[in-house]
Structure formats: structure tokens, C-alpha cells
Amino acid sequence: MEDFILWLKYLLLGMVQGVTEPIPVSSSGHLIVAQRLMGMEQNGLSFEMLTNTASLIAIVFIFRKDLQRLIVNGLSYLRTRKPEYKSDFMFILYIIVGTIPAVIIGLLFKDQIEEIFASVRTVGIALLFTGVALWLIRNLRGRKLDNDLSFKDALIVGLAQAVALIPGISRSGSTVITSIAVGMKQETALRFSFMLYIPISLGGMVLGVSDITSDPDVSSLLIPYLIAFIATLICTYFAMKWLMNIMARGNLKYFAYYCFVVGILLLVFL
């Protein structure tokens, strides 16, 4: 019975991670709250890396055609310098520039940031800030497409992604909000946001391999971790598809309502 309860808890954690990773409400913050409600200890970097890897696989699958086009056309531009390939090559450069701030700040300060800010109260406050930001950009309709971006745009969005290292600040929320704020169309904002997610998540996966191999609990938690991985993979896929439909209709304001309600509830009751 105890094993079943444990499996159920990890199933719920995987579902929470999967549903909240793509949408602008902070997966890390929701995991902190979920573990608190279920009376679980922090699972550590091995669990975080495992579920992030599952989300990464789902997102790469969804954007596989965009990734294939960028890689093929980017390499073609390097070989031929033909103008028809330049916009995709530049988009790759913008992704690299946008990734740099989070990499630098993450390598230098990630552990300290999580130690200071990993509390339910911080998550509540961060959700309220996210809600305000979502509300402010709810009616913006930018005009910038993939080939209209600049290095300045990429750097500003990259800095927003670095801010999301604070638990409770949504990575997708901060990058989508900032992308829209600098004038991107919602479709471009969504694509650029999740293209930025891929190298960050890949880097975390590589750096986290040692955490899994050295984690003494991995063997005893193999089945719960596998359950959480599968749940995260499936839920991320459907949550990402849901977000794409919502952004196509311009309904980000509903996420603002959610952040306001949950943020207030956390501050009042937890």
C-alpha cells in the first residue's frame, strides 16, 4: 500500500511538472507547492533533471519541423551564403544570444538563488508578479516575425529567461511576455521562447547526469521516477498544444487570472 501511495505521489508530481512547464505559471513553483501539500521532501536535482528531460523530449517533438528547418538552412547559409537561408541562420544566432544570460547566471548563482527563494511564500509573490505582467501585455499584438528580430530583442528576452531562475517565476511566462513586449507576434514569441528552452534544458540535462549517477535514492525510486517521467512527457505534450491554441486566440489573460487567484491563496493559507 505504501508503494502505491508513493507511486501515486510521483504520478501527481509528473503531471504537475508536465502541465505547468509550457504554460506561463511556473513549473518549479508548482512543484514546490505540490510537494508541500503532499508532505514530501525536496526531490533534488536528479528528479528535476529527469522531469525536465521528459518535458524537453515533448517540446522537441512538437517543434521538430522548425528545428529541422533551422539546422538545415543554417548550415546551408554557412556553406553558400544564399540570402534565402539568412533569416534562419540569424534566428539561430538570436537563440544563442538569448541563452547566454541564463547560462552565466545559472552557473554562477543557481544554487544560491534556489536556496534563498525556494519557499511557498516566494512562489505566491512570484505568481502575482507574473499575473500582473500577463495582464499588462494581454492586448498587445506585435508585428515582428522571425526575420524581424534583432540582437537587442534576443538579449532582452534572454535576461527575462535568467530572471526565471527564481522559483515561482515562469520561464515560459517571462520569455513569452517579454517577447510580446518587444513587439513580436504571438506565434513568433511562442516559437522563440521554446527555442530558448531547448539549449537551456539540454545544458541542464548534461550537467545533471552526475547528480543522477551519484544519487543514492535512484535505485529505490526507479519505478516512481519512471512513472513521473512518463506522466511529465505526456502532460507536457498536451499542455504545449493547449498553449499554442490559446496564444493563437490571444487569451493569455486567463493565465493572469489563474496567477492572481493561486498567488493570493498561497500567501493567505500556506
Side-chain angles (χ1 to χ4, degrees):
M1 187 63 179
E2 289 184 4
D3 285 344
F4 177 76
I5 300 273
L6 183 65
W7 296 351
L8 182 59
K9 287 182 176 180
Y10 275 88
L11 173 64
L12 292 173
L13 286 180
M15 292 174 66
V16 168
Q17 162 67 23
V19 170
T20 58
E21 178 59 53
I23 64 178
V25 297
S26 176
S27 59
S28 61
H30 278 72
L31 281 177
I32 291 172
V33 174
Q35 290 177 87
R36 169 79 174 271
L37 291 174
M38 290 189 287
M40 299 176 69
E41 297 291 332
Q42 294 290 332
N43 289 295
L45 290 177
S46 58
F47 179 80
E48 178 185 336
M49 196 212 80
L50 189 77
T51 52
N52 281 339
T53 300
S55 290
L56 173 65
I57 292 171
I59 289 170
V60 166
F61 180 77
I62 289 171
F63 287 98
R64 64 192 182 281
K65 292 182 180 178
D66 292 295
L67 285 168
Q68 182 181 9
R69 188 195 74 248
L70 287 171
I71 293 169
V72 171
N73 290 353
L75 291 174
S76 296
Y77 181 76
L78 286 175
R79 290 196 306 267
T80 66
R81 290 296 193 273
K82 290 184 177 178
E84 59 262 35
Y85 302 131
K86 185 175 181 180
S87 63
D88 285 327
F89 175 76
M90 294 303 298
F91 196 85
I92 294 172
L93 291 185
Y94 298 143
I95 293 170
I96 294 171
V97 170
T99 302
I100 291 172
V103 170
I104 294 174
I105 295 174
L107 289 175
L108 294 177
F109 305 112
K110 187 174 189 293
D111 292 339
Q112 296 92 320
I113 289 171
E114 290 184 345
E115 183 178 347
I116 294 171
F117 294 105
S119 70
V120 173
R121 184 173 182 81
T122 300
V123 173
I125 294 171
L127 283 172
L128 292 178
F129 276 112
T130 301
V132 170
L134 285 166
W135 183 257
L136 291 174
I137 60 94
R138 69 191 185 283
N139 293 323
L140 293 183
R141 298 291 183 270
R143 296 183 178 180
K144 292 182 180 179
L145 300 174
D146 292 9
N147 56 355
D148 298 318
L149 305 186
S150 67
F151 285 110
K152 180 182 177 181
D153 295 333
L155 183 58
I156 291 172
V157 177
L159 290 171
Q161 180 168 245
V163 172
L165 290 169
I166 299 174
I169 298 291
S170 167
R171 192 217 64 84
S172 64
S174 62
T175 51
V176 167
I177 289 166
T178 307
S179 295
I180 292 174
V182 299
M184 296 185 203
K185 292 191 70 170
Q186 295 210 359
E187 181 183 348
T188 300
L190 185 70
R191 185 182 300 108
F192 189 65
S193 171
F194 285 95
M195 288 299 170
L196 283 178
Y197 168 79
I198 291 171
I200 287 292
S201 188
L202 277 174
M205 184 175 67
V206 172
L207 292 174
V209 169
S210 61
D211 293 302
I212 283 188
T213 56
S214 62
D215 189 339
D217 297 324
V218 165
S219 57
S220 62
L221 291 175
L222 184 60
I223 294 177
Y225 274 21
L226 180 61
I227 291 171
F229 182 90
I230 294 172
T232 300
L233 180 68
I234 295 171
C235 290
T236 298
Y237 176 84
F238 287 106
M240 186 72 235
K241 288 290 189 179
W242 180 49
L243 176 64
M244 293 169 80
N245 289 332
I246 286 176
M247 289 196 66
R249 297 193 299 268
N251 289 333
L252 283 174
K253 63 183 178 183
Y254 296 113
F255 290 120
Y257 299 150
Y258 175 86
C259 290
F260 290 143
V261 171
V262 175
I264 291 170
L265 289 174
L266 292 178
L267 292 177
V268 172
F269 293 106
L270 295 178

